[in-house]
Amino acid sequence: MARLSTPLSDFYVVIPAGGIGSRLWPLSRADAPKFLHDLTGSGSSLLKDTWDRLTPLAGEQRVMVVTGRAHRAAVEEQLPELADLNVVLESEPRDSSAAIGLAAAILEKREPGVIIGSFAADHVIKGTRFFNMAVAEAVEAARAGYIATIGIVPTEPAIGFGYIHATEETELEGAPSALKVDSFVEKPNAHTAEEYVNSGDYLWNAGMFITKASVLLEELAKTQPELHAGIIALAEVWDDHAKRGPAVDKIWPTLKKIAIDYAVAEPAAAAGKLVVIPGEFDWDDVGDFASIAKLHSSGYKKDLAILGEGARVLSDASSGILITDTGRTIALVGVKDIVVVDTPDALLVTTTANAQKVKSVVDALRISGRDDVL
């Protein structure tokens, strides 16, 4: 297995930094998405934590961030070491296939044969040693021509994650843990999730993909030829500043919105070209406020997690999570598993059990034309 005392010479990290995290409204907004926030209490944003975790694997000059034009200033402020050459700006969100595919095409043109690893900007990972070991195995699988993903060994029958089914060993040299992926499964109900975990044959889908850029592009050409053609056309002129802007304005809005799971991972699995490395580390996609509350739980008792500089909170016999950036005094008395998010122009009150439903509030606000609070 590859060791990670020095960066992997043929490896390039891609960090897609997009999405507004609608289940974390009103904290996460279009102009301040969740990856720009410190949700763990580390003192750094999720994006900065992701950078710190990945730069030892590839080196600071071999990390590319794909983000929206509106977020460029914030991204560059948080990541001052990020090379200007490696900032890829989307004129508008077109989902992960376009974002990761464009990064792959640009890097393949610059460095034919390069291996890329795509890792979301807004996930929380604890256990660096085991994470590094999983990435090292995934890179070895990529060198053998596979598309590799890292699946998380479930710790509970979670219903907020998709699952990966894999049982067949591959016996890949340098990747002893690799399993061939049979199928991807959407978020299950509680009973089905329990069956998955009890079987031991399923892993959480963490959305991490490691492969040769050329292999990813080949798969994309088979399943989404028009999307592939647009991405290749953009990559051809990307490093020509005079041609890049007009090409992006013309081509980017025409690209199909489709997740890379559907465009690349699932077809590759069906063709026997996708393997998964089981990850024995703590992982969370911080998809809702219940996830944040869990991250801050003591593990022995359920208490109240409080986030916000200068928070003024009085709590009596209450549990859950409270996030504030208003300086307002907030008192909670006798409420269990509560979620309170207090911002200057919007207040959310719900429970951890209903945290996934916050997205419906965002949808309702959008339909009603309340874009001022989105």
Side-chain angles (χ1 to χ4, degrees):
M1 184 189 304
R3 298 299 176 189
L4 298 174
S5 56
T6 58
L8 299 163
S9 60
D10 53 352
F11 188 52
Y12 222 109
V13 166
V14 176
I15 303 177
I20 64 171
S22 55
R23 290 183 178 86
L24 293 177
W25 180 89
L27 178 68
S28 184
R29 311 278 185 108
D31 60 349
K34 71 172 182 174
F35 62 83
L36 295 175
H37 294 276
D38 174 11
L39 301 182
T40 65
S42 69
S44 300
S45 70
L46 297 180
L47 173 64
K48 183 60 165 61
D49 285 343
T50 300
W51 169 274
D52 291 343
R53 181 167 58 251
L54 294 170
T55 48
L57 305 183
E60 290 182 352
Q61 299 302 308
R62 296 176 67 82
V63 178
M64 176 174 280
V65 176
V66 185
T67 193
R69 286 177 177 172
H71 306 133
R72 177 172 190 165
V75 167
E76 292 182 342
E77 180 181 359
Q78 292 193 8
L79 307 178
E81 303 90 351
L82 176 64
D84 183 68
L85 186 71
N86 288 334
V87 180
V88 174
L89 300 179
E90 304 172 303
S91 57
E92 59 181 286
R94 305 308 294 176
D95 219 321
S96 56
S97 290
I100 299 169
L102 176 57
I106 293 169
L107 293 175
E108 177 65 17
K109 188 172 188 298
R110 292 177 183 170
E111 188 179 323
V114 67
I115 293 172
I116 65 168
S118 173
F119 304 89
D122 54 7
H123 292 180
V124 172
I125 290 174
K126 298 178 181 179
T128 301
R129 176 172 173 266
F130 291 105
F131 173 73
N132 290 352
M133 290 169 61
V135 172
E137 287 200 40
V139 169
E140 288 295 334
R143 287 173 180 152
Y146 286 95
I147 296 175
T149 187
I150 298 174
I152 310 302
V153 178
T155 56
E156 61 180 339
I159 61 174
F161 307 139
Y163 285 73
I164 299 170
H165 183 253
T167 57
E168 182 183 347
E169 295 182 358
T170 61
E171 298 184 358
L172 280 172
E173 185 176 352
S177 303
L179 302 169
K180 278 198 174 182
V181 175
D182 298 324
S183 60
F184 288 80
V185 185
E186 296 295 334
K187 297 176 183 178
N189 58 35
H191 175 71
T192 304
E194 190 168 356
E195 290 183 341
Y196 287 169
V197 174
N198 289 340
S199 74
D201 296 334
Y202 290 83
L203 301 163
W204 288 337
N205 179 12
M208 305 178 199
F209 296 102
I210 299 91
T211 184
K212 289 181 180 178
S214 60
V215 171
L216 185 147
L217 293 169
E218 287 169 8
E219 291 301 312
L220 200 58
K222 295 175 187 176
T223 64
Q224 301 292 328
E226 292 183 3
L227 174 59
H228 175 266
I231 285 169
I232 295 300
L234 285 172
E236 284 297 317
V237 301
W238 194 263
D239 289 333
D240 185 327
H241 291 282
K243 295 180 179 179
R244 180 198 300 173
V248 170
D249 292 342
K250 178 182 178 181
I251 298 172
W252 188 260
T254 71
L255 300 181
K256 182 178 180 179
K257 289 184 177 182
I258 183 170
I260 198 161
D261 298 68
Y262 304 134
V264 174
E266 291 185 4
K273 297 179 180 179
L274 193 138
V275 299
V276 62
I277 311 299
E280 299 276 359
F281 50 86
D282 291 339
W283 167 88
D284 200 297
D285 69 351
V286 203
D288 57 30
F289 288 111
S291 295
I292 299 177
K294 185 177 178 182
L295 287 174
H296 291 270
S297 171
S298 66
Y300 296 99
K301 62 178 181 178
K302 289 188 175 182
D303 50 12
L304 183 69
I306 301 172
L307 280 76
E309 188 174 348
R312 302 169 66 185
V313 180
L314 299 173
S315 173
D316 180 17
S318 297
S319 65
I321 184 166
L322 187 151
I323 303 174
T324 177
D325 63 357
T326 66
R328 175 174 18 234
T329 297
I330 301 172
L332 302 178
V333 180
V335 287
K336 302 297 183 183
D337 299 323
I338 196 169
V339 173
V340 178
V341 184
D342 180 38
T343 71
D345 61 351
L347 172 67
L348 171 73
V349 181
T350 184
T351 63
T352 54
N354 289 287
Q356 285 274 316
K357 298 179 181 178
V358 173
K359 185 178 184 296
S360 63
V361 176
V362 174
D363 294 338
L365 288 169
R366 185 175 291 112
I367 292 171
S368 64
R370 290 298 309 275
D371 292 344
D372 59 311
V373 292
L374 296 179

